[in-house]
Amino acid sequence: MTETLSSIPWAVAALAVTIAAILLFARLAARAGLGAGPRAGRRLAVVETLAVDARRRLVIARIDGREAVLLLGGGNDLVVADLGRTAEPGR
């Protein structure tokens, strides 16, 4: 019993060091641009989504500065509206 109780602090310390290392490497990867954030040169972006019901959703998608409203799911997908050219952030 004493041996088990003395190993608990070591296990907690090892877990804390492991979590700290993971967080440090994640931060370094994000700084290096390896994260899932927006990147320069991307042509396609999902601007916003809205669930219509359990199977369908409306999506505003931007490609090359043009936006379109898409209805996805429910057996077929369709372009609801072409919103035309929009001002792209950062340009």
Side-chain angles (χ1 to χ4, degrees):
M1 180 76 177
T2 309
E3 188 176 303
T4 304
L5 291 178
S6 66
S7 66
I8 290 176
W10 285 105
V12 170
L15 180 62
V17 168
T18 303
I19 291 173
I22 290 171
L23 292 175
L24 175 69
F25 287 126
R27 180 167 286 193
L28 291 174
R31 265 199 192 161
L34 300 175
R39 290 181 256 164
R42 289 277 188 154
R43 295 178 56 205
L44 178 65
V46 174
V47 177
E48 192 171 339
T49 64
L50 175 69
V52 176
D53 57 27
R55 293 175 30 171
R56 297 179 299 164
R57 67 181 53 245
L58 283 171
V59 176
I60 299 176
R62 179 184 299 130
I63 182 166
D64 293 335
R66 296 184 62 90
E67 288 187 353
V69 179
L70 310 171
L71 181 63
L72 305 176
N76 60 347
D77 304 331
L78 83 117
V79 178
V80 176
D82 183 4
L83 302 177
R85 292 242 173 240
T86 60
E88 292 185 45
R91 285 192 178 187

